[in-house]
Amino acid sequence: MQTKFSSATPTDINTAYSVDDVIKLLDGAEGDANVASPLVRLRLTKMLYDVLGMKLTSDIALSTIAEPPATLTLAPAGGGKTTWAQIKAILEKIMRQSVLHPGKKIRGEAILCLVYNKHNVQDMIDKHKAMVNKLRAYNIKGLDIDDEIHACTLHSFCDFWRREYVARLDLLGANLLENAQAESFMRRSIRIACKKLDREKEVNKIDPSGVLELYMYYRETMCEDISDLETCDKFIDLGIDAEMIETIFERYESSKKLQHKYDFVDMLYRFYCLLRDDESVRTRVQKYYEYVIADEVQDFTPLMWEILKLLVSNGTPLTCIGDEDQNIYAFRG
């Protein structure tokens, strides 16, 4: 999958532009009728950074005040991505008009903050509360915002909606397959596949954990056929032909179905299909969120990206934050 990004951000923005100059870069840019003007956004940004005691640079100022429908912000480790994301969320509460509740500003419960790892969820919530409380301590006139955000992993987000639509997802009565169970299921699937293909001597040569990783990669990258895996390092390292892999995968799927089990990728994929195919469900899910922030997006798999795109396909503003140099989950696609 190849994705093209375009950027109008000058490479020398921090040396050629002052914080006040960045507003010139927005000349002619398409505006968002639900937020304040660029000049007001810049003034608010400068005020927030000053009160919070943080340094505002030209690149941060531009990424904060720009309001295109979707934004990708890349920053290195230690670059303050999570902190910036929460300042962005605070600004949205101050200046963005609610679409669902005309005449009011959006609330924290309508700002969805997605992260890849669950241990980052509480950190994001805590940072947001700390910043809002610090702003409140300054008794800023007219500041009336809550200290909430809807922070969760994409897996827990999908799991919440799984409970809502469990029957529609065909998961009624099914239980989540734990990691140890999944490997046991895969080991059994390998034995059955080898017997079916009359290649029982190969059983002990096949690594169940390696095949399980390949299976997850196959599903997460949304491959259309087993042949799509033949150039994948995982496939090559296993040293198993496509016929064997396909048979093992078929047996693994059958085992889950017979035992009324599902894994995380089953949940993600079925929720993706439900959002894609059912407009009423998609509309209902979308109406709960008026701004979406996706953190550490370099770790999102193609399946996760498809869910994210459907989530904001109604025009909900999206801000993505990541660092390609920290992509440690490439093995998952």
Side-chain angles (χ1 to χ4, degrees):
M1 182 179 69
Q2 184 177 11
T3 304
K4 294 183 179 179
F5 296 101
S6 62
S7 173
T9 304
T11 56
D12 61 348
I13 184 171
N14 281 329
T15 56
Y17 294 82
S18 69
V19 169
D20 289 322
D21 285 337
V22 299
I23 202 162
K24 299 175 184 176
L25 297 171
L26 299 180
D27 287 345
E30 184 179 345
D32 188 326
N34 293 314
V35 292
S37 68
L39 183 59
V40 172
R41 298 200 300 265
L42 179 59
R43 288 172 178 169
L44 285 170
T45 299
K46 291 167 69 174
M47 181 270 291
L48 285 182
Y49 270 82
D50 183 52
V51 171
L52 295 172
M54 298 176 181
K55 182 181 180 181
L56 178 62
T57 56
S58 300
D59 56 346
I60 292 175
L62 179 60
S63 61
T64 306
I65 68 173
E67 287 287 346
T71 302
L72 173 65
T73 298
L74 300 177
K81 297 187 293 295
T82 302
T83 298
W84 172 80
Q86 293 319 305
I87 291 177
K88 183 77 171 174
I90 290 172
L91 279 166
E92 297 302 326
K93 290 181 184 181
I94 295 173
M95 66 186 184
R96 181 172 290 277
Q97 296 294 320
S98 172
V99 175
L100 297 175
H101 307 286
K104 297 182 179 180
K105 300 293 179 64
I106 65 172
R107 296 186 57 80
E109 61 189 18
I111 299 177
L112 178 63
C113 295
L114 296 169
V115 296
Y116 187 83
N117 288 308
K118 62 182 180 181
H119 67 263
N120 290 336
V121 171
Q122 194 58 50
D123 179 51
M124 184 173 279
I125 293 172
D126 291 344
K127 280 189 175 182
H128 191 82
K129 287 183 180 294
M131 288 181 187
V132 172
N133 288 334
K134 189 169 184 178
L135 290 172
R136 286 174 175 168
Y138 272 76
N139 293 317
I140 300 170
K141 185 179 179 180
L143 181 67
D144 180 23
I145 58 173
D146 60 75
D147 61 0
E148 301 294 323
I149 51 170
H150 187 148
C152 59
T153 65
L154 189 58
H155 286 93
S156 60
F157 172 80
C158 291
D159 189 50
F160 171 83
W161 289 105
R162 174 197 61 81
R163 294 192 293 271
E164 183 78 11
Y165 291 108
V166 63
R168 299 283 297 278
L169 295 169
D170 195 23
L171 292 174
L172 194 63
N175 296 309
L176 181 65
L177 191 65
E178 301 295 339
N179 291 337
Q181 287 181 306
E183 191 163 322
S184 176
F185 272 43
M186 186 59 75
R187 187 176 291 107
R188 188 183 308 118
S189 300
I190 291 170
R191 289 200 302 267
I192 296 172
C194 286
K195 185 175 182 179
K196 180 179 180 180
L197 297 175
D198 196 23
R199 294 161 60 176
E200 295 174 270
K201 292 182 179 179
E202 299 179 29
V203 170
N204 296 327
K205 298 178 182 179
I206 301 175
D207 174 25
S209 63
V211 179
L212 185 59
E213 285 187 7
L214 183 65
Y215 171 79
M216 300 303 285
Y217 178 90
Y218 175 72
R219 299 288 307 283
E220 290 272 13
T221 55
M222 305 180 76
C223 291
E224 295 183 359
D225 190 79
I226 295 296
S227 61
D228 295 337
L229 293 173
E230 292 182 354
T231 58
C232 170
D233 289 343
K234 287 183 178 300
F235 180 91
I236 296 170
D237 291 343
L238 283 170
I240 309 171
D241 59 79
E243 182 185 23
M244 177 63 81
I245 289 294
E246 185 172 18
T247 307
I248 293 171
F249 285 3
E250 288 173 353
R251 295 314 310 167
Y252 183 68
E253 290 285 348
S254 296
S255 296
K256 287 191 291 181
K257 188 173 182 179
L258 286 170
Q259 297 295 323
H260 302 290
K261 297 286 187 180
Y262 69 93
D263 52 34
F264 279 119
V265 75
D266 290 326
M267 179 181 67
L268 292 179
Y269 186 75
R270 293 187 188 198
F271 182 64
Y272 155 70
C273 290
L274 185 62
L275 284 182
R276 180 195 63 192
D277 300 335
D278 194 314
E279 184 179 359
S280 64
V281 172
R282 186 169 64 251
T283 300
R284 182 166 183 267
V285 173
Q286 289 172 338
K287 78 173 186 178
Y288 282 89
Y289 313 106
E290 298 201 63
Y291 198 91
V292 178
I293 295 173
D295 198 11
E296 305 295 355
V297 294
Q298 75 277 354
D299 295 329
F300 280 35
T301 64
L303 178 54
M304 292 178 179
W305 275 107
E306 290 302 316
I307 293 172
L308 184 59
K309 286 193 290 184
L310 286 169
L311 185 60
V312 299
S313 62
N314 62 334
T316 298
L318 170 67
T319 290
C320 293
I321 310 151
D323 175 13
E324 64 269 45
D325 291 333
Q326 295 186 64
N327 185 9
I328 61 174
Y329 294 105
F331 64 92
R332 291 181 182 169

